[in-house]
């Protein structure tokens, strides 16, 4: 997920699900460097907070084992509290120059990190020696942290959107739980059957407030093959046939079929509350949405499955994806960068270690089996290893995500100025979901004008 507050929830839920967390022991950076004895010291942020005792113990155990294997490297963990999950606080640390040697950020943070002058070009230092699984990392994720052909961060988490659906409601409606809808017309037909069950059940549910509506409009537009902005990022590019199709699909389900429920203006928690109560048949989300349904909204893992994001007439042409990575502070020595890369490789990019230590996570009752983080290319060596370990240690039925994993959809990142744009697009989404007489062309035209004005002020 990528809207700040929802992105934060997703990151925390995913961290918990994989036996990791995001905050710490130490409270300030002591600085890094190379000692006279040749030991390289690096500071790294986003270690689990003290209240997350098990997660903190996992992190500290990983640091100890990594340092045992690399006696010439010292990793100093630095707590920045919730700032790892709070974009404004992250921006403040950038502006104040208080980032650690190796610092955490979202994919959408690349431009502001570059603008701050804090980022180091690590292109030539990322090799199979420093990151053994680098060839398996999805090229699209590398590109998300690149600018002008230069790499500035290593991706460590990723998500992509698909169609999350309730298997119980599918069965009750006579639908095939192993064959979720693959096109938006099929979603519409399935939603009608599910809504016909009554009892306040929405066949398909959608966000339309708190920036979540614009967030989902973006993913739905990507499924049509569209884009929010022109390639140069200077103009809106959704007031067209593809954007109209997104809103028309929703309007048809909402008012043509009455299959989306009466309550609208839903934000993240609203929709998942309804889902946890068994009142939602389908919605667009990432794999960890099922975890949130269970851990925060009293749902059951066995009730939920996931397929790829539907397309209009066939496979989706794209889906919204996003994630996180670690940047390297400008001014580090090559030895410090290499040390940081080795730590990230161990903790974040090695099947069986760190966030992929499923043997450790399973008895700690963290969900194992979710197809996330999707860091490795489908069919790559690391992906095969990670999948085998995940299946061997799963305490969540991996079959529930088989359709999603078997048909990967090309991932597209968030647009520039994503949150401000999402706020504008909320109005278009809420318009078609709350007004049966909504004029789709007018909604898109108004949104286009506001986004262009926003972009003009940012240039």
């Amino acid at each position: 997920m990528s809207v700040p507050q929802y992105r934060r929830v997703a990151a925390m839920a995913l961290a918990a699900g994989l036996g990791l967390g995001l905050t710490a022991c130490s409270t300030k950076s002591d600085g890094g460097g190379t000692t006279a004895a040749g030991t390289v010291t690096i500071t790294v942020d986003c270690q689990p907070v003290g209240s997350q005792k098990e997660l903190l113990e996992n992190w500290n155990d990983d640091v100890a084992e990594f340092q045992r294997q690399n006696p010439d490297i010292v990793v100093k963990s630095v707590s920045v509290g919730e700032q790892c999950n709070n974009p404004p606080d992250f921006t403040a640390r950038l502006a104040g120059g208080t980032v650690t040697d190796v610092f955490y950020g979202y994919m959408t943070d690349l431009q502001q990190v570059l603008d701050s002058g804090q980022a180091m070009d690590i292109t030539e230092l990322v090799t199979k020696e420093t990151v053994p699984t680098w060839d398996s990392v999805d090229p699209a994720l590398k590109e998300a942290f690149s600018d002008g052909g230069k790499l500035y961060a290593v991706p460590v988490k990723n998500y992509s959107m698909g169609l999350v659906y309730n298997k119980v409601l599918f069965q009750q409606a006579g639908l095939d739980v192993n064959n979720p809808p693959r096109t938006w017309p099929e979603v519409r037909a399935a939603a009608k059957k599910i809504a016909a069950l009554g009892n306040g059940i929405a066949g398909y549910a959608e966000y339309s407030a708190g920036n979540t509506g614009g967030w989902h409009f973006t993913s739905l537009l990507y499924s049509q093959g569209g884009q929010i902005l022109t390639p140069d990022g200077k103009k809106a590019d959704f007031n067209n046939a593809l954007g109209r199709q997104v809103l028309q699909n929703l309007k048809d389900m909402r008012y043509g079929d009455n299959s989306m429920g009466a309550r609208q203006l839903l934000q993240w928690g609203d929709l998942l509350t309804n889902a946890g109560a068994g009142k939602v048949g389908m919605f667009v989300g990432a794999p960890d949405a099922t975890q949130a349904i269970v851990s925060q909204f009293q749902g059951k893992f066995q009730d939920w499955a996931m397929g790829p994001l539907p397309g209009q007439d066939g496979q989706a042409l794209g889906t919204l994806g996003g994630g996180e990575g670690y940047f390297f502070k400008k001014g580090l020595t090559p030895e410090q960068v290499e040390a940081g890369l080795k730590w990230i490789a161990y903790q974040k990019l090695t099947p069986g270690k760190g966030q992929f230590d499923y043997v450790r996570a399973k008895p700690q009752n963290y969900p194992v089996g979710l197809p996330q983080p999707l860091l490795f290319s489908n069919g790559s060596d690391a992906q095969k290893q990670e999948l085998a370990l995940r299946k061997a240690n799963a305490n969540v039925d991996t079959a529930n995500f088989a359709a999603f994993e078997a048909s990967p959809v090309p991932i597209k990142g968030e647009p520039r100025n994503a949150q401000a744009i999402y706020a504008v697009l909320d109005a278009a989404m809420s318009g078609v979901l709350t007004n049966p007489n909504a004029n789709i062309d007018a909604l898109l035209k108004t949104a286009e004008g506001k986004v262009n004005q926003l972009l003009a002020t940012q240039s």
Side-chain angles (χ1 to χ4, degrees):
M1 304 182 184
S2 296
V3 177
Q5 58 267 46
Y6 309 100
R7 181 168 55 186
R8 169 186 170 190
V9 171
M12 293 178 70
L14 177 58
L18 295 174
L20 291 179
L22 306 173
T23 67
C25 270
S26 172
T27 58
K28 64 183 180 64
S29 173
D30 299 307
T34 304
T35 68
T39 300
V40 178
T41 300
I42 54 171
T43 56
V44 182
D45 63 8
C46 292
Q47 176 192 16
V49 291
S51 61
Q52 299 172 305
K53 294 182 180 179
E54 203 166 49
L55 303 183
L56 178 58
E57 182 179 347
N58 290 345
W59 174 283
N60 289 338
D61 286 347
D62 289 341
V63 170
E65 176 58 22
F66 173 77
Q67 293 182 150
R68 187 191 69 79
Q69 295 182 20
N70 298 272
D72 58 337
I73 298 174
V74 174
V75 176
K76 291 189 175 182
S77 302
V78 178
S79 174
V80 290
E82 292 301 326
Q83 292 179 27
C84 281
N85 303 308
N86 188 327
D89 287 344
F90 173 79
T91 300
R93 283 188 291 122
L94 275 179
T98 59
V99 293
T100 51
D101 297 334
V102 184
F103 62 98
Y104 169 102
Y106 299 123
M107 288 179 182
T108 49
D109 289 326
L110 175 61
Q111 192 56 55
Q112 70 163 323
V113 172
L114 294 178
D115 290 344
S116 75
Q118 301 275 357
M120 186 169 181
D121 174 9
I122 59 173
T123 310
E124 301 301 322
L125 295 173
V126 182
T127 66
K128 289 203 70 173
E129 181 178 359
T130 53
V131 185
T133 59
W134 188 242
D135 288 347
S136 292
V137 175
D138 191 330
L141 308 184
K142 300 175 185 178
E143 179 63 28
F145 283 117
S146 298
D147 184 75
K150 296 180 179 180
L151 181 71
Y152 291 94
V154 175
V156 298
K157 285 190 174 75
N158 179 50
Y159 78 89
S160 69
M161 308 282 262
L163 185 70
V164 182
Y165 61 98
N166 186 309
K167 295 198 300 180
V168 174
L169 295 181
F170 260 53
Q171 290 175 326
Q172 292 176 358
L175 298 167
D176 185 351
V177 297
N178 297 313
N179 187 28
R182 300 299 182 108
T183 68
W184 288 110
E186 290 177 2
V187 170
R188 182 179 179 184
K192 288 177 66 175
K193 292 182 179 180
I194 295 169
L197 296 172
N199 298 318
I201 294 171
Y204 176 83
E206 190 52 274
Y207 298 126
S208 56
N211 292 23
T212 56
W215 171 44
H216 269 209
F217 177 91
T218 299
S219 192
L220 302 184
L221 184 66
Y222 287 174
S223 78
Q224 301 283 342
Q227 56 190 10
I228 293 294
L229 303 179
T230 54
D232 61 9
K234 295 181 178 180
K235 294 287 185 180
D237 194 22
F238 53 77
N239 183 14
N240 50 40
L242 301 178
R244 285 191 289 276
Q245 186 67 68
V246 169
L247 296 185
Q248 190 64 55
N249 287 342
L250 295 175
K251 188 176 182 181
D252 288 344
M253 284 192 285
R254 171 70 175 96
Y255 290 107
D257 305 334
N258 194 30
S259 63
M260 293 185 65
R263 185 188 173 198
Q264 297 300 322
L265 301 179
L266 302 179
Q267 298 190 45
W268 186 81
D270 303 321
L271 193 157
L272 296 189
T273 296
N274 294 343
K279 299 297 184 181
V280 174
M282 298 173 287
F283 66 96
V284 168
D288 61 358
T290 61
Q291 181 176 322
I293 289 172
V294 175
S295 63
Q296 300 180 54
F297 302 102
Q298 291 72 56
K300 299 177 181 178
F301 270 118
Q302 60 265 32
D303 291 350
W304 295 93
M306 189 170 177
L309 188 70
Q312 189 59 36
D313 301 308
Q315 181 173 336
L317 299 177
T319 184
L320 178 63
E324 304 139 31
Y326 271 94
F327 293 87
F328 292 74
K329 188 175 183 179
K330 183 170 284 189
L332 298 182
T333 66
E335 291 78 15
Q336 284 179 289
V337 175
E338 289 177 0
L341 288 170
K342 288 181 179 180
W343 162 246
I344 292 171
Y346 178 88
Q347 173 69 3
K348 305 292 187 180
L349 294 173
T350 299
K353 304 296 183 183
Q355 71 172 330
F356 293 118
D357 190 345
Y358 299 137
V359 173
R360 177 175 65 189
K362 184 177 181 178
Q364 293 177 341
N365 294 320
Y366 296 117
V368 177
L370 303 183
Q372 192 174 324
L374 297 171
L375 287 169
F376 305 120
S377 297
N378 205 33
S380 66
D381 290 343
Q383 187 267 344
K384 292 176 182 177
Q385 295 171 27
E386 185 273 332
L387 181 60
L389 286 169
R390 192 187 339 145
K391 288 183 175 180
N393 295 281
N395 52 22
V396 174
D397 190 355
T398 58
N400 289 337
F401 301 92
F404 174 73
E405 292 197 87
S407 301
V409 175
I411 296 173
K412 295 183 65 173
E414 295 180 272
R416 170 191 171 199
N417 296 307
Q419 299 311 317
I421 290 173
Y422 293 165
V424 171
L425 289 169
D426 270 358
M429 293 287 278
S430 63
V432 296
L433 294 177
T434 61
N435 180 6
N437 299 313
N439 185 313
I440 290 175
D441 288 338
L443 289 171
L444 289 173
K445 183 177 181 180
T446 298
E448 177 187 40
K450 290 183 177 180
V451 168
N452 284 339
Q453 183 177 15
L454 168 71
L455 295 174
T457 62
Q458 297 295 319
S459 61

